[in-house]
Amino acid sequence: MLGRLTYDSLPFYSPVAFGGALVTVLGAVAAVGLLTYFRLWGWLWHNYLTTVDHKKIGIMYIVFAFVMLVRGFVDAIMMRAHQMLSAFGGGFLEGDHFAQVFSAHGTIMIFFMATPFMSGLINFVMPQQIGARDVAFPYLNALSFWLTAGAGGLVLISLVLGKFSTAGWTGYPPYSGAARTPGVGVDYWIWALFISGWGTTMSGINFLVTILRRRAPGMTLMRMPVFTWTAACTSVIILIAFPALTVAITLLGLDRVIGTHFFTSDAGGNFMNFANMFWMWGHPEVYLLVLPAFGVFSEVTATFSGKPLYGYSAMVRATLVITVVSALVWLHHFFTMGSSATVNAVFGIATMIIGVPTGLKVFNWMFTMYRGRVRLHSAIYWTVGFIVLFVIGGATGVMHAIVPLDFNLHNTTFLVAHFHNMLIPGVLFGFLAGYQYWFPKAIGFTLDEKWGKLSFWGWFSGFLLVFMPLYALGLMGLPRRTGQIYDSSLWPLLTVSFIGACAVLFGIIALGVQLWVSIRDRNRLRDTSGDPWDGRTLEWSVPSPTPEFNFARIPRVDGIDSFAMAKRAGEPVPVGPPEDIEMPNPTRSAMAAGVLAFLGGFGAIWEMWWLFGICAAGMLLIVIARSFIDHDEHEVPASEVERIMQSSRAEGMAVAGATS
């Protein structure tokens, strides 16, 4: 009945693994205990767990991403500490456990930190920027989140029951095949990616339809804010890339479970098919994460420089070019795997071309700040820090586009440094800038500036200390993915890298302290205007936090940065007539589907097929039941809308008076 699940599945094979499991269980117990002690279950249920409001779903995505950021960072600092100690024949991780740690780190940071953070920001911001009341498919939006959360639960429970994959975050066969890796680790990886992939694909559909169909009157495509443009292009990349990943891991799962030979060397299979499909997703994935961060930098730069974004149309065209070219360079991830010189040269040139529109964006951000009245808010710190570090990452990327150089550098820590050089400044810095920038719109008060800037310096200095030594170590020939380092002369650089990880740890702790201090001082930091940064786009025209219906009356748009234009003219944004508003009802079935996806995946991983069957039937019943619901909205009368808006204004004035 329990399939492969036995007493031996508990993590008694290593004190470190047991400690990780213990921390995970105690963390879950502590979270449940705190929610119970403060009697927050009812509030959580009505306001978040059953919501279909795009803003609250966006907040849940971002909270989930922060939790997984901490989990992924613990893996990272363990790797840095272990490699430093192993230079003298020490270390505290066995080889198999080290492989689990780096596989989990990559998987978590890409699939369960960066991607949900992206979905959260787009969810929260995009509908407000285009003057919409919600996304096109609110229920689908909630379902996307809960599938992602269910998949994340599988990764977390792998710490407690069984082991995670040792095949790296790319899961290359034949190592990930059943013959080489028969345990449950690779199955955890496959099912977590399969379930979360469906969630992300549905989000891409939802975002794209929302942008195409729900824009306010007058908002033509070339009047959309740049962040919304990047959200649209990201959605296109999701729809192109994620099906390839879903097919690849489905075929790998069939190879493991029923013995097909899609990626084995037997019976006509070929593991290079997996590499091609994986990187058809993998390289565009970098840009579907980077593009929204570019959108954040564009919004932050224009707002805190007090100027329109320099070269708006060029920025849009550069985004479109990156979208197209990002899907044409996947093969540069395996230059060393035997392609012809001609094929390698074509993909090398395409890789270099993608630097042109990216460089244009960097120059446009700098020209936006040039002669502007730049306010040194923490969001602009993350932006400037990104520009400095991203230029280094871009230059090392061009080095990898030169095939002979890539042959020598590909399997070293130089590539590890380059990869992180693109994703930490290019993605995480952007998302953290967006977190600082839009936090008051989501919660109603600004974040503490002092701790925000301290966090930035922790991340910025830590990044330099961690990854510059890895560039040097890579040039010296240190291979990546290695848990044991036998050359003690490398110890100084490995130590500097570990110290850098400690600085990043300070940056993460500072983010937590910033949130705690901000909640403590929320009355002093209250956003009473709805527009604390003198913003340029429509989300800043409504109170903070944004009402359930976003806009009491749908705005009319007659240019780029219509809210900034209205403020300059001393007039409100033009709006449509007052009307009753229909909003979607909350639902329990989306969360139930996420729980069933988690349990069903768990059953399949451990070969408890009865559990898998029950969960699959349960999800089918949810789909059938939803199809019989013809009317799933409630109406907010125009009079009630006006009362809510007046209450928000009165509350803001009262708080402003109390804190002045």
Side-chain angles (χ1 to χ4, degrees):
M1 185 174 181
L2 295 180
R4 292 189 282 181
L5 186 60
T6 64
Y7 176 79
D8 294 334
S9 306
L10 294 171
F12 294 132
Y13 59 91
S14 157
V16 177
F18 182 76
L22 195 62
V23 169
T24 303
V25 172
L26 290 178
V29 170
V32 171
L34 286 172
L35 289 170
T36 305
Y37 179 78
F38 290 107
R39 299 180 179 180
L40 291 175
W41 283 111
W43 173 82
L44 197 63
W45 177 264
H46 293 295
N47 287 282
Y48 284 94
L49 300 183
T50 58
T51 188
V52 292
D53 183 337
H54 71 94
K55 300 180 290 297
K56 291 178 178 176
I57 290 172
I59 291 170
M60 288 196 292
Y61 265 119
I62 292 171
V63 170
F64 176 77
F66 272 121
V67 171
M68 299 307 277
L69 169 67
V70 173
R71 168 70 177 84
F73 177 77
V74 170
D75 290 332
I77 199 167
M78 284 173 62
M79 284 189 287
R80 297 271 66 82
H82 173 79
Q83 285 192 324
M84 177 185 68
L85 295 173
S86 72
F88 288 108
F92 53 89
L93 295 172
E94 297 175 358
D96 187 62
H97 194 189
F98 181 84
Q100 284 187 63
V101 170
F102 80 70
S103 301
H105 169 72
T107 302
I108 288 171
M109 288 304 200
I110 295 292
F111 293 97
F112 298 104
M113 191 284 290
T115 305
F117 212 144
M118 174 272 296
S119 295
L121 282 178
I122 294 176
N123 246 305
F124 181 80
V125 178
M126 180 270 290
Q128 298 187 68
Q129 282 200 333
I130 63 173
R133 292 213 162 93
D134 207 329
V135 294
F137 309 112
Y139 177 76
L140 199 66
N141 199 22
L143 186 59
S144 299
F145 168 76
W146 284 110
L147 289 179
T148 303
L154 287 178
V155 177
L156 291 178
I157 204 170
S158 71
L159 269 173
V160 183
L161 295 173
K163 299 178 181 178
F164 196 66
S165 172
T166 56
W169 74 276
T170 55
Y172 275 156
Y175 190 77
S176 57
R180 297 285 296 274
T181 314
V184 297
V186 175
D187 298 307
Y188 268 122
W189 181 82
I190 288 174
W191 278 98
L193 267 59
F194 183 80
I195 295 170
S196 69
W198 277 101
T200 306
T201 304
M202 291 191 294
S203 289
I205 295 169
N206 213 345
F207 294 152
L208 190 59
V209 174
T210 302
I211 293 169
L212 293 178
R213 303 290 298 173
R214 293 294 182 96
R215 299 193 309 278
M219 181 172 280
T220 62
L221 290 177
M222 290 307 286
R223 290 177 178 173
M224 291 196 309
V226 170
F227 180 79
T228 296
W229 259 112
T230 59
C233 290
T234 290
S235 304
V236 171
I237 294 175
I238 287 173
L239 298 183
I240 293 172
F242 265 84
L245 176 67
T246 304
V247 170
I249 58 177
T250 301
L251 297 183
L252 179 61
L254 292 175
D255 276 5
R256 289 179 60 83
V257 176
I258 64 174
T260 55
H261 295 281
F262 292 106
F263 303 129
T264 67
S265 57
D266 304 322
N270 189 336
F271 82 95
M272 285 303 297
N273 291 333
F274 180 89
N276 270 289
M277 285 193 284
F278 184 86
W279 288 111
M280 281 179 192
W281 161 85
H283 192 80
E285 164 75 8
V286 174
Y287 287 91
L288 75 87
L289 296 175
V290 163
L291 284 179
F294 285 177
V296 172
F297 293 132
S298 299
E299 303 294 340
V300 167
T301 304
T303 297
F304 289 102
S305 300
K307 291 171 58 182
L309 184 67
Y310 182 88
Y312 169 85
S313 60
M315 292 291 261
V316 172
R317 289 181 173 85
T319 304
L320 292 170
V321 171
I322 291 172
T323 302
V324 174
V325 180
S326 72
L328 303 176
V329 296
W330 79 90
L331 195 137
H332 72 203
H333 288 273
F334 42 96
F335 277 152
T336 58
M337 290 189 181
S339 299
S340 69
T342 302
V343 170
N344 281 351
V346 168
F347 279 84
I349 293 168
T351 303
M352 293 183 190
I353 288 173
I354 209 166
V356 176
T358 308
L360 182 145
K361 283 176 172 284
V362 172
F363 279 112
N364 278 6
W365 291 317
M366 291 194 293
F367 281 130
T368 303
M369 286 186 272
Y370 179 64
R371 291 190 174 179
R373 298 185 301 279
V374 180
R375 289 170 284 159
L376 295 179
H377 184 269
S378 56
I380 208 82
Y381 273 52
W382 293 102
T383 304
V384 174
F386 148 77
I387 291 174
V388 173
L389 298 179
F390 197 73
V391 169
I392 299 172
T396 55
V398 172
M399 292 173 68
H400 280 289
I402 302 169
V403 178
L405 271 178
D406 185 73
F407 265 66
N408 288 283
L409 298 174
H410 187 83
N411 204 31
T412 72
T413 57
F414 190 95
L415 182 67
V416 176
H418 162 69
F419 180 67
H420 287 81
N421 206 158
M422 303 307 286
L423 286 182
I424 293 180
V427 176
L428 190 58
F429 279 23
F431 292 169
L432 290 175
Y435 166 71
Q436 306 283 334
Y437 181 59
W438 281 300
F439 186 90
K441 185 53 60 183
I443 308 298
F445 54 87
T446 59
L447 286 166
D448 181 82
E449 271 294 278
K450 173 188 167 185
W451 282 101
K453 290 172 181 174
L454 285 174
S455 174
F456 164 77
W457 286 115
W459 276 96
F460 185 82
S461 60
F463 175 86
L464 290 172
L465 289 171
V466 172
F467 294 106
M468 294 304 117
L470 292 188
Y471 276 124
L473 289 166
L475 289 171
M476 294 161 69
L478 179 66
R480 58 181 172 142
R481 304 191 187 106
T482 182
Q484 290 295 321
I485 295 169
Y486 299 100
D487 185 353
S488 59
S489 68
L490 304 180
W491 180 80
L493 287 174
L494 291 168
T495 302
V496 172
S497 187
F498 172 71
I499 293 171
C502 294
V504 173
L505 174 62
F506 169 77
I508 293 174
I509 293 172
L511 279 175
V513 175
Q514 181 195 35
L515 183 60
W516 177 75
V517 169
S518 303
I519 294 172
R520 185 194 65 189
D521 299 341
R522 56 188 177 279
N523 286 331
R524 177 177 63 82
L525 298 171
R526 184 81 62 187
D527 172 25
T528 57
S529 65
D531 184 21
W533 319 129
D534 190 19
R536 309 186 65 81
T537 42
L538 288 174
E539 72 270 26
W540 302 109
S541 67
V542 297
S544 301
T546 308
E548 176 194 7
F549 39 78
N550 291 355
F551 299 92
R553 297 164 68 182
I554 292 297
R556 297 182 184 276
V557 176
D558 52 10
I560 303 169
D561 291 349
S562 54
F563 182 50
M565 291 170 59
K567 285 192 291 186
R568 191 165 60 245
E571 299 174 354
V573 177
V575 293
E579 58 184 3
D580 299 338
I581 299 173
E582 279 199 346
M583 298 301 298
N585 289 329
T587 178
R588 292 169 288 185
S589 63
M591 187 180 71
V595 172
L596 289 173
F598 165 77
L599 292 175
F602 187 79
I605 291 164
W606 290 96
E607 297 183 355
M608 291 185 271
W609 298 113
W610 59 269
L611 179 60
F612 176 80
I614 290 173
C615 293
M619 294 190 73
L620 182 62
L621 284 174
I622 288 174
V623 172
I624 293 172
R626 286 289 305 181
S627 68
F628 282 97
I629 299 176
D630 294 327
H631 183 74
D632 194 30
E633 297 88 18
H634 63 278
E635 187 174 275
V636 185
S639 58
E640 176 66 9
V641 172
E642 183 60 26
R643 188 195 65 76
I644 293 172
M645 297 302 290
Q646 287 180 352
S647 174
S648 297
R649 284 192 288 268
E651 183 181 348
M653 292 173 64
V655 172
T659 56
S660 63

